[in-house]
Amino acid sequence: MLNIQDLHAGVDNKEILKGLNLEIKPGEMHAVMGRNGSGKSTLSNVITGREGFHISKGNIEYKGQSIIEWSPEKRALAGLFMSFQYPVVMPGVNNTYFLKAALNAKLKHHGKQELDAAGFLKLIKEKLTEVDMDTSYLQRAVNEGFSGGEKKRNEILQMLTLEPELAILDETDSGLDIDALKIIADGVNRYRNKERSFLVITHYQRLLKYIEPDIVHVLIDGKFVKSGGKELAIELEEKGYSWLES
Amino acid sequence: MNISSFQTEFNKIMGRDYFTNHVKPIRAQAFNNFLEEGLPNKNWEDWRHTDLKPIKEIDFRLSEISDAPAHELDITEFGLDDIHTIVIYNGHYQESMSSIPNGVRLISLSEYGEQKGWRFNEQKDSPFDLLNTAFMDSGFCLSVDKGVQIESPIRILFISSSENKIMVSPRVYIELEESSSVTFVEQHEGNSKEYLLNSSLIMGIKRNSRMCHIRIQNNSGNTFNIGNIHVHQDKESHYSFYQFAYGSKIGRLNLFTNLNGKGAECFLNGLALTCDHQHLDNHIITNHNAPNCTSSQNFKSLLNDSSSGVFNGRTVVSKGAEKTDSNQSNKNILLSKGSLMNSNPQLEIYADDVKCSHGSTTGALDRDAIFYIQSRGIDMTSAKALLVRGFVSEMIESISNKYIKQYVISKFDSWLNENTI
Ligand SMILES: Nc1ncnc2c1ncn2[C@@H]1O[C@H](COP(=O)(O)OP(=O)(O)OP(=O)(O)O)[C@@H](O)[C@H]1O
Ligand SMILES: [Mg+2]
């Protein structure tokens, strides 16, 4: 599904990712852990095509094709999704309008019939219950005045609506209360299947109790220094990161 | 238009005999006052960012009877054709095409002058008001009687269409007697060559009355549109103003609102859309002259290509205007590298117990937001359009008349379609 080889990337003259390798197969759940500033969000941004990040070496393949020259929307339409660590507030942009435009762009891309207002409302109401949000969020501007946790739920709502094949969840658990964490984890687990893959970035083993990863990677200074099973997350929680530093 | 060309045209208007002689000394006084200072230049504090050189370089002449339409016009091309309209074509009132709703009274400027004893005591403020008084042509007064609520909106449609370089100076009075209400649309259209439109609108809003004023400025790209608006509000009156300006080469709005009675409120909103080399200047003065009044100035611009804009907002809270609540906001998005905005919100406070705030932001579209939208599968152009729509939506949505709101939305959409953002 996703294959990253010897990726070197950064901003301006600063290299942030320094030779990163990652292979995610269909249906796999990968977790990435690492200190603040180690490059986790940079990795998500580079995969999803944010401007300003420069790839100096290496490649990113998605379903066998190199995507590093692709626009962000092309990547999204091909099935990539990122739940933002810091979802963007968009004053005046109606949440329903935004989500409907995104979904219809996707349907159109796949040659499917676009949804009208009624069809979309029916669909979105089902998705809302999955993340335990009420319909009042639909009338609001995207993320405007949303609490930290509400923003994260809104990200997952978007994921469930757009149905990506590879979802990157960048600290989706940060700022969530325990109930919300459980709701979101349940949503993600229901969404999991043999075809869909995940890259979950987190600081806490707590999330990984609910969403069981197949593989845990430790990112230090722009590289994965260790990868292992879910027990690695427990070990990290106990010991921190310094024992892994060279 | 240099001073001697103004003088030539002035002599012409003084020679016209279809105005009563009462108007002549008023014109002469105003013209003399105008001559003392001349047209503003960039050394004038209030005109620092608006260069009138293009106006000075063109010799305009007065609109003549021959500039009136030769035959019946089709005004449906300007939209909003479901509402009562007073048509002014190159300064000439088109009676056959005009209608007013029941309950509104329309009288000529001469009749109005007669009633008021020929006192046109407005023009302390701008040189363009003086010019308007000196040259005023299509003048009339609309009034609504005490207690009368006019449900259907009324529009004044100014059509500026000429092959010739002409100048037009409409003068309009609107008077709302106690506890009355009206929605009034001021619309500027036409496909003129070089053209100078200098209008003065004077509104009297009596106690407990409400006026909603929607100004649509869609003049041709060669027109200079100077709009002078003076609003006088009594106790507990309400005035809301919405400007949608996307036309003209240079547009300047001088909007003076005077809150003269306790508890009066005015909400002033404007959206300017500029492209090419357009320049739109909003000069907005709110005077709090009485206690417990509320005001807001909420102006936004979207600037493309090499266009430019000015927001000069001033809220003056006089001594004794306690419990004033006022807010000024100016937000601008620069859609191109070549566009330029000058924003200057100012507060002058001479009272003690007031709540006043102001703020201004100018910048490009938010890159993070563009990426956020793109990352959901929406292309860059649509992402920008989505943000731009979000930027203007609050203002457009606040127009309560659905028909007019729909019209403004359609105009905004066409602007967005015609512009590469
Ligand atoms: N646009 C940028 N300009 C300059 N430096 C940047 C930029 N983006 C990231 N960096 C730097 O790159 C490093 C990695 O940042 P990144 O956001 O990827 O960290 P992270 O692992 O996600 O951290 P956290 O756990 O705090 O979210 C940091 O030192 C950060 O300051
Ligand atoms: Mg991060």
Side-chain angles (χ1 to χ4, degrees), chain B residues 68-115:
Chain B
H71 40 76
E72 187 93 349
L73 296 167
D74 178 16
I75 60 164
T76 56
E77 65 170 299
F78 307 121
L80 291 176
D81 37 303
D82 278 4
I83 62 182
H84 290 282
T85 298
I86 293 172
V87 180
I88 307 288
Y89 187 94
N90 291 340
H92 303 281
Y93 170 50
Q94 301 300 299
E95 192 171 4
S96 64
M97 277 174 263
S98 300
S99 74
I100 50 172
N102 283 335
V104 175
R105 280 196 284 163
L106 172 67
I107 57 171
S108 72
L109 192 60
S110 309
E111 285 173 81
Y112 181 78
E114 209 65 60
Q115 282 178 13

Side-chain angles (χ1 to χ4, degrees), chain B residues 120-363:
Chain B
F120 292 83
N121 51 348
E122 205 56 51
Q123 294 63 45
K124 60 177 175 27
D125 298 302
S126 98
F128 284 99
D129 280 307
L130 295 172
L131 271 183
N132 180 274
T133 306
F135 290 100
M136 60 190 167
D137 39 44
S138 41
F140 57 89
C141 170
L142 288 172
S143 58
V144 181
D145 284 348
K146 188 170 170 179
V148 177
Q149 321 291 320
I150 306 294
E151 298 298 335
S152 55
I154 179 163
R155 167 173 68 164
I156 304 180
L157 178 60
F158 294 97
I159 305 170
S160 306
S161 264
S162 176
E163 292 290 308
N164 299 305
K165 298 167 182 168
I166 61 179
M167 61 184 256
V168 170
S169 308
R171 164 72 65 109
V172 177
Y173 287 86
I174 301 185
E175 308 214 318
L176 295 194
E177 296 303 330
E178 259 185 59
S179 308
S180 62
S181 72
V182 75
T183 294
F184 157 61
V185 180
E186 174 197 353
Q187 187 178 358
H188 298 272
E189 300 283 346
N191 53 7
S192 50
K193 293 264 169 59
E194 282 97 344
Y195 199 103
L196 175 60
L197 177 72
N198 176 37
S199 59
S200 288
L201 269 61
I202 294 129
M203 327 272 202
I205 307 179
K206 295 270 161 62
R207 184 174 178 168
N208 195 32
S209 287
R210 302 178 70 86
M211 183 189 295
C212 172
H213 176 185
I214 295 153
R215 183 173 203 259
I216 299 166
Q217 201 270 75
N218 183 28
N219 279 130
S220 79
N222 292 314
T223 303
F224 303 102
N225 181 311
I226 314 284
N228 312 289
I229 300 173
H230 299 264
V231 184
H232 302 282
Q233 295 187 241
D234 286 355
K235 229 170 150 174
E236 285 145 20
S237 65
H238 173 101
Y239 175 71
S240 51
F241 174 83
Y242 301 87
Q243 171 173 257
F244 298 94
Y246 43 97
S248 79
K249 183 189 190 86
I250 295 179
R252 162 85 172 207
L253 171 69
N254 295 309
L255 172 58
F256 300 88
T257 44
N258 301 289
L259 299 162
N260 299 329
K262 198 172 168 182
E265 51 188 27
C266 70
F267 302 109
L268 315 175
N269 307 281
L271 175 63
L273 313 173
T274 56
C275 57
D276 300 330
H277 286 87
Q278 281 182 292
H279 177 82
L280 294 182
D281 178 350
N282 288 310
H283 192 75
I284 314 297
I285 314 286
T286 303
N287 292 311
H288 279 260
N289 299 329
N292 298 81
C293 293
T294 306
S295 73
S296 72
Q297 299 180 353
N298 180 17
F299 283 75
K300 291 185 172 185
S301 319
L302 281 169
L303 302 105
N304 206 5
D305 305 329
S306 303
S307 64
S308 52
V310 181
F311 172 76
N312 220 325
R314 190 152 68 230
T315 299
V316 184
V317 182
S318 338
K319 202 158 182 283
E322 304 301 336
K323 306 267 185 233
T324 285
D325 186 343
S326 91
N327 177 50
Q328 278 177 314
S329 156
N330 178 230
K331 292 184 180 155
N332 311 294
I333 293 182
L334 304 175
L335 295 168
S336 63
K337 289 209 167 68
S339 55
L340 178 73
M341 183 72 201
N342 282 290
S343 174
N344 189 18
Q346 306 159 62
L347 283 169
E348 268 177 48
I349 302 174
Y350 304 102
D352 304 315
D353 181 12
V354 300
K355 203 173 98 197
C356 296
S357 61
H358 65 170
S360 160
T361 55
T362 299

Side-chain angles (χ1 to χ4, degrees), chain A residues 41 85 170-171:
Chain A
S41 294
Q85 181 175 3
D170 191 353
E171 296 200 25

